[in-house]
Amino acid sequence: MRTDKMKARGTGTDGTGTDGGTRGFAYLRLSNEEAGRGESASITNQRAIVERFCRENGIALVREFVDDGYSGGNFDRPGFRAMMTALEAGGAGTVVTKDLSRLGRDMREASYYAEQYFPEHGVRYIAIADSFDTERDNIMAPFQFAMNEVYLRDGSRKVRDVLKNKRENGQYCACPPYGYRKSREDRGRLAPDEATAPVVRRIFERAAGGDSSRRIALDLTADGIIPPLKYRALYRDDFTPEGAARASDAWNYTTVKRILRNPVYLGHTLLGRSRKVSVKSKKKTPVPREDWAVTENTHPPLVTEALFERAHRNLGRGASAAAGHGPVRKSIFAGVARCALCGHALCSCGTVYRGEREKYWYLACTHQRRDLPTPCTGVRVKYADLLSLVRDDLNSLLALSDDALASIAREAAERLDSADSREARRRRAEQAEARMRTIDKIIARLYTDNAEGRLDDDRLRRMTAELERESAGLKAELTALTAPSPADKTRDNYARFLALARGCAHIETLDRDTLLTFVERIEVGPKIYPDGVKRATHPGTPFRQSVRVFYRFIGEVDTTTPDGA
């Protein structure tokens, strides 16, 4: 922040006031990182040093400005802004700090204020410990400003290293999410918050049952449940009065969605999703998902994986229960049954004839795609028929023995994990590693050539940048090549499905909860009539229709494949 409109009203160029006395401001600053390093840097210690110096040098302190808990990396601080406003009003002729780093650690900005701005506006600036005084020559000032910035950058690096180490060890080094608090035994771990954990479970149970995020938010507000930000302001964190006043008493549906999408409630630690643009900026930029710090099973989960999956799968599917709307048909296939031609979700349609609703209830695609050679008008299936078909197919799969399901898994894995495929992955991984070693040698040679004068700085930067980009691409490729193979993932997925299937023997009535537990999606194709018949002319007209069921984790399964099934 720079303020170039200040005029030295009420002060002389020698730093004295209009009454002939020397009037001064004390500026004190302490960052959160420095606060833990002992009393020497504390606000109390700074105040004592500045007051003693002013007494001994005939400076009458008229006011002090404090920024407690603010980094010196930028000048967007409330105390500093207030001091600049007071200086503009002619409140003092001298500014005193304990040392140059209290003014700020940004080399460019701190130098600007200390060596240009203050002298040009008739303000004397003194940094006691660094013997800096704008009324004298300050030969060492450039080095002092530079060292303060080095300290800033080094401190930032150390903080990042500490946070990285904590993340890798599964410690939660961030603000606890709603539903959790810091453990009393280990501050690096999360523990369920007795007051808010039940609210989180309620949100997941409501979502798993089909309620929309908006409906859940409205009900939480109506029941007087305090939303996360308000809860932090009232009971947990130190908010300013202005910040606490901005915290709403009403739940927002986006807050509910964030909770439903956060794997922290499964007991996993997920950190490092964003980082600061630079050491001097408060702005943050998203981090690619593959670079997130994820550690599983670090704290007690609030919900089971099955409940989390069901709630997560309901998001955006329009699966809200139509309570109080008797004429509305409640399809369990909402968002699951899709058109095989265009991929659009099938909608409930039909009529009620002579009091019968189920008999004339259909699911059909109402989405018209002009770019498709075949229109979606033929994608229509009777609701009762689809219900019966999916239930029977699921029961046939659940009836398989563990050995039969394992046989299906082996065949699927073998198709993906041929000997040729494994050998090709191994060779490519070796090539990538060899090229990365070569790049390291080339970069080292380039720096040697630069130091000996055979390569100029500009070409060095361009060549190393290109090589580092190539190395980063090879590193990402190597990570993918050394990751678990598709066959390993297939075996893991069948094991996960088997764990679900063990809890269910035979399904008499297929409901939405059971459907979402086992089924990922259902693709319904158009009706195909015999040659010469374009559409059904009476209920008995024969037709063929494709209905494909894709199960969670394992996809489409042919239950007739394994021997003895």
Side-chain angles (χ1 to χ4, degrees):
M1 184 197 80
R2 291 186 176 181
T3 306
D4 295 321
K5 298 180 180 180
M6 188 181 79
K7 297 180 180 179
R9 296 190 295 270
T11 62
T13 56
D14 60 353
T16 60
T18 54
D19 57 359
T22 303
R23 295 159 53 85
F25 284 164
Y27 179 68
L28 320 173
R29 184 193 63 79
L30 184 70
S31 69
N32 289 328
E33 291 78 9
E34 294 166 324
R37 295 174 183 164
E39 180 65 21
S40 62
S42 69
I43 295 295
T44 302
N45 183 267
Q46 292 181 49
R47 181 181 293 114
I49 291 173
V50 171
E51 288 178 348
R52 182 171 64 251
F53 177 86
C54 291
R55 282 196 306 271
E56 295 173 352
N57 291 273
I59 300 173
L61 284 179
V62 296
R63 190 174 174 186
E64 74 172 29
F65 298 87
V66 180
D67 280 318
D68 195 355
Y70 287 86
S71 169
N74 65 74
F75 284 76
D76 186 18
R77 315 177 214 130
F80 184 82
R81 291 198 303 267
M83 183 180 72
M84 299 305 294
T85 301
L87 287 172
E88 182 179 350
T94 303
V95 172
V96 185
T97 63
K98 173 180 173 287
D99 53 46
L100 287 172
S101 68
R102 298 308 94 198
L103 181 65
R105 293 190 181 275
D106 183 307
M107 177 173 62
R108 181 174 57 87
E109 290 286 296
S111 174
Y112 166 76
Y113 282 109
E115 298 191 294
Q116 181 178 342
Y117 186 82
F118 286 152
E120 287 180 355
H121 292 80
V123 176
R124 182 184 181 187
Y125 171 61
I126 300 172
I128 302 168
D130 291 323
S131 301
F132 183 95
D133 188 338
T134 52
E135 291 192 346
R136 298 197 302 265
D137 290 332
N138 300 285
I139 304 300
M140 298 300 295
F143 299 100
Q144 292 169 321
F145 289 124
M147 287 307 300
N148 284 332
E149 176 152 331
V150 169
Y151 179 92
L152 173 69
R153 293 177 182 273
D154 185 56
S156 177
R157 178 188 60 79
K158 290 177 179 177
V159 169
R160 288 198 306 272
D161 290 344
V162 169
L163 291 177
K164 180 181 178 183
N165 182 63
K166 287 184 176 181
R167 289 168 182 166
E168 290 174 349
N169 291 325
Q171 297 187 51
Y172 203 93
C173 45
C175 178
Y178 186 76
Y180 284 103
R181 57 171 173 78
K182 291 293 182 74
S183 171
R184 297 183 180 91
E185 292 75 23
D186 183 353
R187 300 296 293 174
R189 305 289 176 181
L190 293 178
D193 186 335
E194 296 80 2
T196 57
V199 181
V200 172
R201 296 190 188 99
R202 170 181 172 179
I203 290 172
F204 275 93
E205 289 166 358
R206 289 283 302 275
D211 286 339
S212 68
S213 300
R214 193 179 298 275
R215 179 73 266 165
I216 295 171
L218 291 172
D219 289 347
L220 290 173
T221 302
D223 291 346
I225 305 296
I226 301 174
L229 187 62
K230 190 76 171 182
Y231 182 80
R232 287 178 54 193
L234 291 177
Y235 301 112
R236 200 175 71 186
D237 299 335
D238 293 328
F239 275 59
T240 63
E242 297 80 8
R246 288 196 295 269
S248 173
D249 292 320
W251 281 77
N252 191 291
Y253 75 96
T254 56
T255 302
V256 174
K257 283 187 175 181
R258 279 197 295 268
I259 289 175
L260 292 172
R261 288 173 174 152
N262 196 341
V264 72
Y265 300 112
L266 288 172
H268 309 325
T269 295
L270 194 155
L271 298 170
R273 286 180 284 186
S274 63
R275 60 169 168 254
K276 292 176 68 173
V277 175
S278 72
V279 68
K280 302 176 184 178
S281 174
K282 293 182 179 179
K283 185 178 179 181
K284 292 187 176 182
T285 183
V287 172
R289 175 178 281 273
E290 59 269 18
D291 294 333
W292 291 357
V294 181
T295 311
E296 296 185 349
N297 305 318
T298 57
H299 52 269
L302 297 187
V303 298
T304 64
E305 185 171 349
L307 179 61
F308 184 92
E309 289 287 345
R310 289 202 303 274
H312 192 263
R313 283 157 56 80
N314 267 337
L315 285 175
R317 280 189 161 170
S320 60
H325 297 278
V328 178
R329 293 182 172 94
K330 303 173 186 177
S331 169
I332 69 168
F333 298 105
V336 178
R338 295 186 170 273
C339 173
L341 296 179
C342 70
H344 199 262
L346 301 185
C347 299
S348 287
C349 59
T351 186
V352 178
Y353 181 68
R354 292 183 179 179
E356 291 191 76
R357 302 175 71 250
E358 299 294 325
K359 185 176 179 179
Y360 303 101
W361 183 4
Y362 293 86
L363 296 180
C365 181
T366 59
H367 189 233
Q368 302 302 314
R369 284 271 301 273
R370 296 179 180 179
D371 59 323
L372 292 175
T374 304
C376 302
T377 52
V379 180
R380 175 183 169 96
V381 64
K382 199 171 183 178
Y383 183 82
D385 290 346
L386 183 63
L387 193 67
S388 175
L389 186 151
V390 174
R391 183 193 62 217
D392 293 345
D393 193 74
L394 178 56
N395 277 329
S396 66
L397 184 58
L398 295 177
L400 292 175
S401 65
D402 290 356
D403 290 341
L405 199 59
S407 176
I408 296 176
R410 279 196 303 273
E411 292 185 7
E414 287 170 1
R415 288 194 296 270
L416 294 171
D417 195 22
S418 65
D420 291 342
S421 174
R422 291 195 302 272
E423 180 61 21
R425 287 165 60 90
R426 185 190 64 78
R427 285 199 304 269
R428 181 54 194 152
E430 289 179 351
Q431 292 171 358
E433 289 177 340
R435 178 57 181 167
M436 288 172 64
R437 289 193 295 268
T438 301
I439 289 174
D440 290 340
K441 293 177 182 178
I442 293 173
I443 291 176
R445 190 160 57 247
L446 289 174
Y447 276 104
T448 300
D449 291 345
N450 175 259
E452 296 176 355
R454 292 192 297 269
L455 184 68
D456 61 73
D457 292 345
D458 184 57
R459 290 191 64 193
L460 174 68
R461 282 191 296 269
R462 285 188 286 106
M463 294 176 71
T464 53
E466 292 176 2
L467 289 168
E468 286 171 354
R469 278 196 298 270
E470 182 185 356
S471 180
L474 289 169
K475 185 177 180 181
E477 182 183 4
L478 188 61
T479 300
L481 289 169
T482 55
S485 68
D488 292 334
K489 292 180 181 178
T490 298
R491 282 186 281 267
D492 291 342
N493 286 338
Y494 271 89
R496 295 175 72 182
F497 184 86
L498 186 60
L500 290 177
R502 285 197 183 102
C504 189
H506 184 79
I507 298 170
E508 294 293 339
T509 302
L510 182 63
D511 55 24
R512 182 167 179 83
D513 188 55
T514 305
L515 179 76
L516 293 180
T517 298
F518 292 101
V519 178
E520 183 71 35
R521 74 182 187 280
I522 301 167
E523 292 183 0
V524 179
K527 293 181 178 180
I528 302 175
Y529 296 99
D531 292 342
V533 179
K534 293 185 178 180
R535 56 175 297 180
T537 56
H538 58 83
T541 303
F543 66 88
R544 291 183 294 109
Q545 187 171 25
S546 168
V547 177
R548 304 175 65 189
V549 181
F550 295 84
Y551 293 98
R552 291 184 59 201
F553 309 127
I554 60 176
E556 193 175 20
V557 179
D558 182 1
T559 57
T560 63
T561 299
D563 295 333

